[in-house]
Amino acid sequence: MIDLSSKKALVTGSGRGIGREIALRLAQAGCDVAISDIDEQTAASTAQEIKALGRNSIAVAGDVSNSADVKSMFSAVVKEFSSLDILVNNAGITRDTLLLRMKDEDWDAVLNINLKSAFLCSREAVRPMMKARSGKIVNIASVVGLMGNAGQANYAASKAGMIGLTKTIAKEFAARSINVNAIAPGFIKTAMTDKLSDSDREKLSSAIPMQKLGSALDVSNAVLFLCSSLSDYITGQVLTVDGGLVM
Ligand code: NAP
């Protein structure tokens, strides 16, 4: 049983989707969780769900690719919680199209929201973690960052960049007992994959050795492990949660 009582976490992009599931999973393990999202309403609603579990929570709305927003988000969280033990960089978007059709704006938006955000948030998070001489940072990358995917040059580059960022921050802060790891989910059942036709979903599933899509719970269970003391001697690693797609 993983016990995170007295721990304080911030999860970006946790108003909905995988981020929301991660926030709830951490709260179920006893953690107080700050909910960061660009959408004020969904952030507030996840924060309410956390409070209903008996944990403290605040919603901090803002754009994680904007340096000023990130600074004010972290100062609100540290003011409320007094410390920060866990950061999960989860917020992410896609703007898929083939390279020849990809606009500069498609590239910039995806790189900023998926990768620059992880740099900005990690830079803030390590300050209280250094003081405490402990901390856990988990970056939600993607198998696409490991293997590429036609139509996702921007997304694949952002997720591969996130893996390089993970390893570098892990090296810089290992001596301070701050663990930095990435999770690379494969195809996860979300609102996005729900829109696929049955035949497309079957085609997708047949490419996966386990023959099925993963769930947000599968991803959040891996996050929980990497945020717990069970993973204290693991840093700079990429854990794929993909039913065996990449091996
Ligand atoms: P999602 O449902 O689209 O959720 C992403 C969340 O991030 C949303 O709440 C979104 O807010 C928020 N967000 C977007 N831009 C933001 C910004 N600039 N600042 C702050 N928050 C922002 O996505 P998901 O499927 O849960 O994916 C979560 C993470 O897992 C992403 O990093 C994604 O790349 C990764 N991943 C997903 C899959 C998959 O199959 N779903 C596979 C591999 C990796 P809004 O509600 O306003 O849009």
Side-chain angles (χ1 to χ4, degrees):
M1 165 80 174
I2 290 175
D3 181 11
L4 295 182
S5 3
S6 87
K7 300 290 183 193
K8 319 287 177 192
L10 185 152
V11 183
T12 70
S14 49
R16 66 185 173 99
I18 295 171
R20 171 181 163 273
E21 189 70 38
I22 292 169
L24 291 170
R25 197 78 189 89
L26 293 176
Q28 283 159 0
C31 202
D32 294 334
V33 191
I35 306 303
S36 145
D37 205 282
I38 197 149
D39 184 324
E40 211 168 319
Q41 278 187 337
T42 59
S45 128
T46 308
Q48 271 313 113
E49 290 185 88
I50 306 279
K51 285 184 177 163
L53 292 172
R55 306 309 322 165
N56 190 11
S57 184
I58 52 164
V60 279
D63 178 355
V64 283
S65 65
N66 178 292
S67 189
D69 280 12
V70 167
K71 281 198 166 82
S72 64
M73 206 182 281
F74 274 82
S75 65
V77 171
V78 173
K79 191 169 168 217
E80 176 71 21
F81 288 167
S82 309
S83 62
L84 186 71
D85 307 288
I86 293 165
L87 166 67
V88 183
N89 285 309
N90 164 81
I93 60 163
T94 51
R95 292 276 163 84
D96 297 351
T97 189
L98 294 170
L99 183 71
L100 285 171
R101 291 195 201 123
M102 193 170 283
K103 298 194 177 73
D104 292 9
E105 306 86 87
D106 298 327
W107 176 270
D108 291 342
V110 171
L111 268 289
N112 285 335
I113 294 172
N114 296 8
L115 180 58
K116 186 181 176 193
S117 65
F119 151 65
L120 293 174
C121 292
S122 300
R123 192 174 58 180
E124 294 305 313
V126 292
R127 294 179 210 280
M129 290 177 183
M130 274 195 301
K131 266 195 212 154
R133 294 191 80 82
S134 79
K136 304 275 189 184
I137 298 178
V138 180
N139 294 322
I140 308 301
S142 167
V143 289
V144 167
L146 295 170
M147 62 183 197
N149 196 24
Q152 292 196 305
N154 49 3
Y155 185 76
S158 74
K159 296 301 188 180
M162 210 177 199
I163 290 169
L165 180 73
T166 301
K167 292 174 190 239
T168 299
I169 304 178
K171 286 189 174 175
E172 289 188 18
F173 293 94
R176 311 272 187 141
S177 302
I178 300 172
N179 305 62
V180 189
N181 291 290
I183 287 176
F187 297 114
I188 304 301
K189 198 174 175 323
T190 57
M192 186 182 77
T193 43
D194 281 348
K195 284 183 209 144
L196 294 172
S197 67
D198 285 349
S199 75
D200 280 350
R201 201 173 302 115
E202 255 165 50
K203 247 188 258 162
L204 253 184
S205 302
S206 64
I208 303 168
M210 284 188 167
Q211 302 275 298
K212 59 179 182 185
L213 303 190
S215 68
L217 183 63
D218 292 323
V219 178
S220 66
N221 282 334
V223 173
L224 185 63
F225 166 67
L226 289 176
C227 292
S228 77
S229 58
L230 296 180
S231 61
D232 277 353
Y233 200 55
I234 300 175
T235 199
Q237 302 305 305
V238 183
L239 176 58
T240 53
V241 179
D242 66 352
L245 186 64
V246 178
M247 58 168 97

